[in-house]
Amino acid sequence: MRQFAIAAALALASALASALPAAAEEIPGSNFKSGFWEGAAYTDDTGAFMECSTWVGYQNGQTLWVRLLPNDTVSIYLNQPDVTFKPGDTFELWVMMETGLPAIGTGDVWNESYAGITYNGIQPTVDFLNSGRYLRMLGMGIDEGFDVDGIAPALAMAQDCLAQRGGIGVGGKVLDAAPG
């Protein structure tokens, strides 16, 4: 069972704030919470809607972040304590649930703190992520597993957040990595 400490929650909030693009801002009143998962909507540097995200922090300082974007893509990013990524790097990344086949594609580094992968098709990706309680990411020099219990309601809230802002994910019949 996952154990959370108040210090870890404060560190997570600080890490998330520093990981967002410099001008990205949370849309007031858009935040949501489901179990250990939190989420919100964000704007870009022009003030336009950018994404709805949900994330969960772990006691060891890791953060798993799922971003739903209005262009019908989903990004799954990982923050690993004491690991610095080199922006611009790409790598093969396998994302697996405990059942079914892995979703394999080309991952990328978002910034020095976060690396992950983007998939085409919000609904197929959400269905994939909801297919189990244990997610494993293999690649980028990291082989980590994550307890994602409670991800389904958090992703439903993120999808509602996206729909409220006019960015409904349509299409994307197959879970495949979006071009980097």
Side-chain angles (χ1 to χ4, degrees):
M1 177 132 211
R2 186 180 325 134
Q3 296 177 336
F4 284 87
I6 292 175
L10 293 173
L12 170 63
S14 173
L16 288 174
S18 66
L20 283 171
E25 290 192 36
E26 183 178 315
I27 296 173
S30 70
N31 55 331
F32 55 89
K33 186 170 174 65
S34 177
F36 293 115
W37 291 83
E38 296 183 50
Y42 292 90
T43 60
D44 64 15
D45 58 353
T46 68
F49 171 68
M50 181 173 70
E51 69 183 66
C52 288
S53 300
T54 187
W55 60 86
V56 65
Y58 297 89
Q59 190 173 8
N60 65 0
Q62 293 172 314
T63 305
L64 187 64
W65 195 351
V66 182
R67 304 170 64 217
L68 280 60
L69 301 152
N71 67 352
D72 195 28
T73 61
V74 176
S75 296
I76 304 167
Y77 281 91
L78 166 67
N79 170 274
Q80 178 78 14
D82 303 321
V83 174
T84 301
F85 300 107
K86 183 179 173 191
D89 279 358
T90 60
F91 44 87
E92 182 177 80
L93 184 63
W94 293 39
V95 179
M96 300 165 264
M97 301 305 287
E98 69 268 22
T99 60
L101 298 173
I104 304 168
T106 301
D108 67 322
V109 174
W110 187 23
N111 63 28
E112 289 184 355
S113 299
Y114 282 85
I117 193 164
T118 299
Y119 293 108
N120 289 316
I122 290 174
Q123 194 57 54
T125 307
V126 166
D127 292 345
F128 171 76
L129 292 172
N130 286 338
S131 70
R133 294 178 52 193
Y134 187 78
L135 179 138
R136 181 174 171 201
M137 293 178 80
L138 174 62
M140 70 183 136
I142 296 172
D143 180 0
E144 290 290 336
F146 302 93
D147 173 2
V148 293
D149 194 32
I151 194 171
L155 287 172
M157 290 175 165
Q159 284 182 286
D160 288 346
C161 169
L162 190 63
Q164 290 171 6
R165 285 155 183 83
I168 300 170
V170 295
K173 303 285 188 254
V174 180
L175 179 71
D176 64 341

